[in-house]
Amino acid sequence: MTQRTPSLPASLLAASLLLTVAACGPKDDGAAGGPGGTPGAGVASGTVIGGTPERGGTLTVLSDQDFAHLDPTRNWVMPAMDFGTRLLYRTLTTFQARPGTAGGTVVPDLATDLGRSADGGRTWTFTLKPGLTYEDGSPIRAQDVKYNVERSFSPDLTGGPGYARQYLSGSAGYTGPLDGRHLSSIVTPDDRTIVFHLRQPVAEFPYTVTLPTFAPVPPSKETGVRYDLRPFSSGPYRIQSYQRGKQLVLVRNTHWNPASDSVRKAYPDRIVVKMGLRGGQIDDRLIASSGADASAVEWADMSPASVAKVLPKPGLRARLSAEPTGCTEMLYLNTARGPFTDPAVRTAMQYAVEKSAQVTANGGPALNDAADRYLPPILAKGAAAPVYHVPPTGNPARAKELLAKAGKPAFSATLTVSTGDKNRAEAIQASLTKAGVRTQITTVDPSVFYDTIGDTAHAPDMTIGGWCPDYPSASTFLPFVFDGRTIVAKGNQGNYSQFRDTAVEHRMDQISAMANAGEAAAAWQSLDATIMRESPAVPLLWPRKPLLVGTNIAGAYGHSAWTGQFDFAVIGLKDTSKSQG
C-alpha cells in the first residue's frame, strides 16, 4: 500500500492517508478503467513518457465524452477532477507532480503550509499565500474558499464530495449560501486566513482540502448550475470557449503566478479537448500519430479491442501508460425493490456472474484482475480470504440452485450502463442467462450516466460502476458505498445499491470512532466480509488505466492520486514546432 505522509503532528497521524479519487468516471466506447491489476510486460508504470516538455504549442485531448461537471463544488468524478484541479482552479493543498508513489505526497497549493491543527485535530487553520489572483487579476480571498465550501451544501449543486457536510460542526440542515446564510464553523478573520471547526478530530484534513470543494469561487461570479460552463480560473489556464459535447479550449491565465505554484508547470500555450469521438477511433488516431494527433493524448481509457494492436509492438507499448487506480468495479444490485430485496437472490448473483468474461471484455489479464471482495488491494492489508469461493468462470448451477430455494427460478432485471460498457453488460447478460436471469440492457451517455443512476426513484435493477477510496483507508470506501444514510433522492453517489442495514451502519460508526488505526483497519476488513454476505453488489474487477499518447507528447505519466489519469499539471510537447491545432 502506498502511504502519503504529510508533515502532521505525530499525535494526529493515526494513519498516513492519501487521496486517490472519489467516484470512478464512466467509461468511453469500450473503455477500461479502475484499479490494481498486474501490468502487461513492458507497459510503462511509474515512469515518464517522452521526457521533459518544451514550453508552448497546443496539446490536444481526444475524448468520447463531455465533462460531467467542471464546477469545483460538483466535480467528484475522475478524470474531470484531475483536469479541473490541475488546470482551472487551485485548492488549499494538492498532490506533488511526480510519477509513482512520490505523487502521493501532499504539498501546499493556495495555502502556505499543510495547515495547523488545534483542539486535538478538531480545528484546522490555513493561511493563503500572498498575491494570489484570479484570471482577471482580482485577489483570491479566504472568503472565496469558504463560499465554495458552503456551495457544496446547496441542493441544486449536486454531485460533489460530502466531506464538508460530514466534518464541519453545526452544518446540519444547512442548504448553502444562496439565501444569504453562512456557516459559523468556517471563520475567515481576514482575507488570507481560513479556519475550519470540525465536529470530530480529522488527522487527514490536509488531504481532504485537496478536493475541488476547497477551491475558491468568488460570490460575484456565482451563476448556480450554469457555473459548470464557465468556472472562474484561479489556475494556470482559463476557458476561452466551451461548446458542450463538442470542444473545450483553454488558454493561458496570464494572471497566474508560477512563482506561487510549485506543482503546475503549464507547458502548453493552449489545450484543446475534442469531444464526441469513438474510443476505438481515438486509439487508431493515436496509434497512427499523424498531424495534430502526434501532439494528442486520450482522455478515457484505451479500448480493450486495441490492446492486441499495442502490447506486441515495443514502439507503441512505450507510448502506453497503465497505472493502477486503486478502485473496485462492481455490479450494483438495487436492494430497494424486487427482485434484489431478497439477500438470497443477491447471493445467487455472486455465483451467476462470470468474472473471467469481464476481464476479457475490459482488456484482458494484462490490465485487469478479477475482484473477490469490495475493498481494493490498496486497502486489503494483506491477503483477505474470499467470502464466496467462486471460480472466475462463475458457477451457474449453484446460482440456479440458490434462486430456486429463494422462489425465483427465473426472473427479469434491467441493467443500465455507460455506452462504453455495453460489451461488459452483454457479457453479464450472457452469464446471467445461464442462471435463468433475463437481462434488459440500457446504455446511457457517459456525461449523464451518474445523474441517471443517481436518480433513486428511477434507478435500474442493476448497474456497472466503481468506487475509489479518497484515502487509503476503508473509512473512505465502505461508508460511501454501503451506508444507507448517504442515499439521496437525486444525485445519489456511491450507494447505487441503495443498501440500508442499521447493524452495518452502527458498526461503521463504531469503527470510525476507534483511536487505534490498526484495530480500525482490521475491523473494516471484517465488515467488508459482513457486507459481502449481504451481497448488495458483486465485485467485478481491479483494473488498471490504459492511456495512449502521440509521438510528440512529453511529460506523460499516470498519477497515483488521479486513478492513473495523466497528470495535466506537467504534460506537454516534445517539439513545439510540430504543434498543430
Side-chain angles (χ1 to χ4, degrees):
M1 178 179 105
T2 302
Q3 293 191 346
R4 312 188 182 216
T5 52
S7 300
L8 295 176
S11 61
L12 294 181
L13 279 174
S16 297
L17 303 174
L18 82 151
L19 175 128
T20 52
V21 88
C24 295
K27 301 300 177 54
D28 69 350
D29 294 324
T38 302
V43 177
S45 181
T47 59
V48 178
I49 299 172
T52 303
E54 292 184 350
R55 182 177 172 84
T58 297
L59 170 70
T60 301
V61 182
L62 303 178
S63 177
D64 68 311
Q65 60 192 264
D66 203 339
F67 300 94
H69 296 292
L70 285 178
D71 183 333
T73 203
R74 309 181 72 182
N75 188 351
W76 200 28
V77 175
M78 290 301 298
M81 193 163 68
D82 165 27
F83 192 86
T85 56
R86 290 316 220 188
L87 300 177
L88 289 173
Y89 30 81
R90 299 173 65 179
T91 46
L92 290 174
T93 64
T94 191
F95 289 97
Q96 200 168 231
R98 297 280 298 279
T101 58
T105 301
V106 174
V107 296
D109 192 0
L110 292 174
T112 57
D113 55 29
L114 297 180
R116 300 170 302 284
S117 66
D119 190 23
R122 290 180 174 85
T123 300
W124 284 89
T125 301
F126 297 86
T127 301
L128 301 191
K129 296 171 182 174
L132 298 171
T133 56
Y134 290 107
E135 63 178 79
D136 64 351
S138 60
I140 296 171
R141 307 177 308 147
Q143 293 89 335
D144 301 341
V145 177
K146 170 183 168 75
Y147 183 75
N148 191 42
V149 176
E150 292 176 333
R151 293 174 78 243
S152 70
F153 289 80
S154 301
D156 292 337
L157 303 180
T158 59
Y163 288 100
R165 192 182 306 273
Q166 178 183 349
Y167 290 158
L168 288 171
S169 64
S171 61
Y174 182 64
T175 56
L178 299 185
D179 60 359
R181 295 177 59 216
H182 297 281
L183 285 171
S184 60
S185 52
I186 308 176
V187 180
T188 52
D190 56 59
D191 287 352
R192 290 183 53 208
T193 305
I194 185 166
V195 184
F196 299 92
H197 295 283
L198 313 181
R199 62 167 57 111
Q200 65 193 51
V202 181
E204 68 271 17
F205 200 64
Y207 295 94
T208 305
V209 298
T210 65
L211 290 165
T213 308
F214 298 88
V217 170
S220 63
K221 299 297 180 180
E222 178 65 80
T223 55
V225 296
R226 299 189 71 253
Y227 197 76
D228 252 342
L229 303 176
R230 186 61 174 83
F232 198 57
S233 177
S234 56
Y237 295 90
R238 62 177 178 84
I239 295 176
Q240 182 182 66
S241 62
Y242 187 12
Q243 296 173 280
R244 289 285 290 174
K246 295 182 179 179
Q247 182 168 282
L248 171 72
V249 178
L250 304 184
V251 295
R252 291 192 183 279
N253 169 13
T254 57
H255 292 281
W256 168 73
N257 181 5
S260 73
D261 193 335
S262 64
V263 174
R264 301 165 185 84
K265 301 305 179 186
Y267 288 114
D269 290 332
R270 299 170 73 243
I271 299 175
V272 179
V273 183
K274 295 183 179 294
M275 308 167 187
L277 306 172
R278 293 184 60 83
Q281 174 190 6
I282 294 171
D283 296 343
D284 289 342
R285 286 175 58 169
L286 288 172
I287 289 170
S289 194
S290 62
D293 291 343
S295 302
V297 301
E298 62 185 345
W299 173 255
D301 308 1
M302 184 179 71
S303 167
S306 299
V307 171
K309 302 177 185 178
V310 173
L311 289 184
K313 300 180 180 179
L316 292 176
R317 196 169 62 229
R319 292 196 275 122
L320 173 66
S321 173
E323 295 294 332
T325 62
C327 316
T328 302
E329 294 194 354
M330 292 168 268
L331 176 67
Y332 292 90
L333 310 176
N334 189 342
T335 67
R337 63 166 184 260
F340 298 125
T341 54
D342 186 346
V345 174
R346 301 197 301 263
T347 298
M349 299 293 286
Q350 302 284 357
Y351 293 89
V353 174
E354 183 180 347
K355 295 178 185 178
S356 58
Q358 291 297 299
V359 169
T360 299
N362 212 45
L367 299 175
N368 303 272
D369 284 334
D372 58 15
R373 57 188 179 273
Y374 300 130
L375 291 178
I378 193 173
L379 305 179
K381 312 290 184 182
V387 173
Y388 302 101
H389 297 275
V390 184
T393 53
N395 188 340
R398 177 60 174 158
K400 292 177 73 172
E401 178 184 341
L402 292 172
L403 290 175
K405 288 182 179 179
K408 289 282 187 180
F411 64 88
S412 298
T414 59
L415 171 60
T416 296
V417 297
S418 176
T419 51
D421 276 331
K422 185 179 179 182
N423 289 343
R424 293 179 61 189
E426 291 172 344
I428 286 174
Q429 182 183 53
S431 61
L432 296 187
T433 298
K434 298 175 185 177
V437 180
R438 298 179 298 276
T439 307
Q440 178 183 339
I441 298 171
T442 300
T443 59
V444 177
D445 186 83
S447 64
V448 295
F449 174 66
Y450 281 104
D451 290 336
T452 300
I453 65 174
D455 182 349
T456 56
H458 302 96
D461 297 322
M462 300 180 291
T463 190
I464 296 175
W467 193 261
C468 315
D470 288 322
Y471 315 106
S473 165
S475 66
T476 67
F477 192 103
L478 292 179
F480 285 92
V481 182
F482 299 120
D483 188 337
R485 295 166 295 185
T486 66
I487 300 170
V488 295
K490 299 283 188 180
N492 186 45
Q493 291 264 1
N495 194 342
Y496 301 118
S497 298
Q498 299 186 50
F499 178 67
R500 291 178 169 90
D501 187 301
T502 55
V504 167
E505 293 163 9
H506 178 64
R507 185 56 177 158
M508 287 178 178
D509 292 342
Q510 289 179 324
I511 300 171
S512 296
M514 290 180 178
N516 185 290
E519 291 179 4
W524 285 121
Q525 294 296 321
S526 178
L527 185 61
D528 186 38
T530 297
I531 300 172
M532 278 289 296
R533 294 185 187 97
E534 293 293 320
S535 295
V538 179
L540 298 176
L541 297 175
W542 294 318
R544 288 182 168 249
K545 191 171 186 67
L547 296 166
L548 275 173
V549 305
T551 53
N552 195 36
I553 292 295
Y557 59 86
H559 198 289
S560 57
W562 313 123
T563 61
Q565 176 59 262
F566 291 131
D567 188 350
F568 286 98
V570 293
I571 201 167
L573 308 183
K574 288 181 182 177
D575 185 348
T576 57
S577 68
K578 297 179 180 178
S579 171
Q580 299 182 33

